[in-house]
């Protein structure tokens, strides 16, 4: 008879064995978990004990690799005169480091911020750095906004588009001073394509006309003004610029459509249209009041 009984669901079994009190307690515990809004959506605030466990994992598996790479980078700076490229060591423990950092993308705790910043700056793997940049979005606003602002002032960070993009999303979510956006616009050409795409999207969402010169400056295909100028960057530079341009152009076109009411293929056509509409201020008022 017992062997033929239909298996009971865990919640129903608890109700039959221990009464309604335990089930009610389970529901209370679940509802007590605190969630907060962040650029990556709602994330759960970790308990102090939970945070300690994650910190122990970071210290054991992730931060040693970052510290080792930090020392290597310092040695590299001291050997500026050497033209030899240092041999890249095998990235051991990559999967473990990725998993440890990814676990923080849906959790928030003030203790996570400093190690994530160290990982973003010094981990030898861009994949791990990118995971850390995504995880930093889930952390407390008062700590991550100034950190993101500082990091985005580093041109080396901007070049790593997959790492810079989450930081730009963070500033767009929480808000940033116009001077910060203006600085990013000036450095647009230095950014990796992912960051350029996010910046264009943010510009459109905020209807920021201060960014229009950047859009128009990058609307046309990248090419040297004078192909015969010996001071031009090498062909590899223009090839990289072309690939980035092809990646961010759809987002740039979409931003232009928001700001000007239509998109354009050439900057001269956009400027001609703005003039025909009586200037940018009149066009802006016409479109957005």
């Amino acid at each position: 008879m017992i062997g033929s009984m239909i298996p009971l669901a865990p919640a129903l079994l608890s109700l039959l064995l221990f009464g309604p009190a335990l089930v009610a307690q389970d529901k209370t515990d679940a509802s007590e978990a605190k969630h907060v809004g962040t650029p990556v959506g709602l994330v759960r605030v970790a308990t102090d004990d939970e945070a300690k466990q994650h910190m122990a994992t970071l210290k054991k598996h992730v931060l040693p690799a970052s510290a080792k790479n930090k020392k290597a980078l310092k040695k590299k700076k001291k050997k500026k005169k050497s033209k030899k490229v240092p041999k890249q060591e095998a990235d051991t423990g990559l999967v473990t480091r990725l998993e440890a950092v990814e676990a923080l993308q849906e959790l928030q705790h003030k203790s996570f911020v400093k190690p994530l910043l160290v990982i973003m700056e010094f981990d030898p793997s861009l994949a791990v750095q990118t995971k850390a940049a995504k995880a930093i979005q889930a952390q407390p606003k008062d700590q991550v906004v100034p950190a993101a602002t500082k990091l985005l002032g580093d041109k080396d960070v901007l070049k790593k588009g997959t790492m810079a993009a989450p930081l730009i999303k963070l500033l767009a979510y929480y808000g940033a001073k116009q001077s910060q956006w203006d600085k990013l616009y000036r450095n647009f050409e230095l950014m990796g394509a992912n960051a350029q795409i996010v910046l264009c999207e943010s510009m459109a969402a905020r209807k920021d006309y201060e960014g229009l010169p950047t859009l128009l400056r990058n609307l046309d295909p990248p090419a040297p003004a004078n192909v015969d100028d010996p001071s031009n960057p090498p062909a590899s530079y223009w090839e990289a610029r072309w690939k980035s341009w092809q990646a961010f152009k759809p987002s740039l076109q979409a931003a232009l459509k928001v700001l000007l009411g239509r998109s354009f293929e050439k900057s001269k056509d956009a400027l001609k249209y703005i003039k025909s509409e009586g200037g940018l201020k009149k066009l802006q008022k016409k479109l957005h009041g």
Side-chain angles (χ1 to χ4, degrees):
M1 180 67 179
I2 295 177
S4 62
M5 290 179 64
I6 299 174
L8 297 174
L12 181 57
L13 185 60
S14 296
L15 180 62
L16 293 174
L17 294 177
F18 304 106
L22 183 60
V23 176
Q25 182 63 43
D26 288 342
K27 290 183 179 180
T28 302
D29 291 343
S31 64
E32 285 178 354
K34 183 180 178 182
H35 291 77
V36 292
T38 71
V40 290
L42 285 178
V43 299
R44 184 170 59 81
V45 177
T47 64
D48 290 342
D49 288 340
E50 192 176 10
K52 286 179 181 178
Q53 293 177 5
H54 284 284
M55 285 296 297
T57 301
L58 293 178
K59 289 177 181 178
K60 182 178 180 180
H61 298 291
V62 189
L63 294 176
S66 298
K68 183 179 179 181
N69 198 52
K70 182 178 181 180
K71 291 179 181 178
L73 290 173
K74 284 184 177 179
K75 288 181 181 179
K76 186 178 179 181
K77 287 181 180 179
K78 290 180 180 178
K79 297 179 179 179
K80 286 183 178 179
K81 294 182 180 179
S82 175
K83 294 183 179 180
K84 293 182 178 179
V85 179
K87 187 176 180 181
Q88 187 73 23
E89 293 184 12
D91 195 359
T92 56
L94 176 59
V95 174
T96 302
R97 300 208 312 281
L98 285 169
E99 290 175 347
V101 175
E102 188 173 11
L104 306 185
Q105 291 182 3
E106 296 180 359
L107 288 176
Q108 182 180 107
H109 197 273
K110 60 184 180 180
S111 67
F112 297 157
V113 177
K114 286 185 177 180
L116 285 173
L117 291 174
V118 171
I119 294 164
M120 287 174 64
E121 189 171 3
F122 297 113
D123 196 274
S125 167
L126 178 58
V128 178
Q129 290 178 318
T130 299
K131 290 282 187 185
K134 291 179 179 178
I136 207 82
Q137 293 181 91
Q139 306 316 314
K141 173 186 174 181
D142 59 343
Q143 291 176 277
V144 297
V145 169
T149 301
K150 183 179 179 181
L151 283 168
L152 288 171
D154 187 334
K155 293 180 180 179
D156 288 333
V157 172
L158 293 178
K159 290 177 184 177
K160 300 175 181 178
T162 55
M163 190 168 79
L167 300 177
I168 295 173
K169 287 182 179 179
L170 189 154
L171 291 186
Y173 180 86
Y174 288 120
K177 294 180 180 179
Q178 187 61 48
S179 59
Q180 174 66 24
W181 294 119
D182 292 342
K183 187 175 182 180
L184 289 172
Y185 297 153
R186 289 194 297 272
N187 290 324
F188 185 87
E189 289 82 3
L190 299 175
M191 297 179 183
N194 295 74
Q196 291 169 322
I197 290 168
V198 170
L199 188 56
C200 287
E201 292 173 345
S202 168
M203 196 186 305
R206 292 178 292 107
K207 297 181 178 62
D208 187 4
Y209 280 83
E210 297 299 320
L212 183 59
T214 298
L215 297 180
L216 296 179
R217 189 173 72 239
N218 289 277
L219 177 58
D220 300 320
N226 182 0
V227 293
D228 297 321
D229 189 340
S231 64
N232 283 329
S236 58
Y237 167 83
W238 294 108
E239 183 180 354
R241 283 283 306 275
W242 176 269
K243 288 181 179 179
S244 292
W245 178 76
Q246 288 182 308
F248 70 69
K249 185 182 177 183
S251 299
L252 186 150
Q253 293 278 20
L256 274 181
K257 191 168 184 178
V258 170
L259 298 180
L260 301 182
R262 50 176 290 192
S263 57
F264 299 86
E265 289 297 324
K266 296 181 180 180
S267 58
K268 65 178 183 179
D269 293 334
L271 291 169
K272 186 177 179 180
Y273 174 74
I274 293 171
K275 187 176 181 180
S276 70
E277 290 291 317
L280 187 59
K281 287 186 177 180
K282 284 188 177 181
L283 183 57
Q284 180 179 352
K285 186 176 181 180
K286 176 183 176 182
L287 294 172
H288 304 295

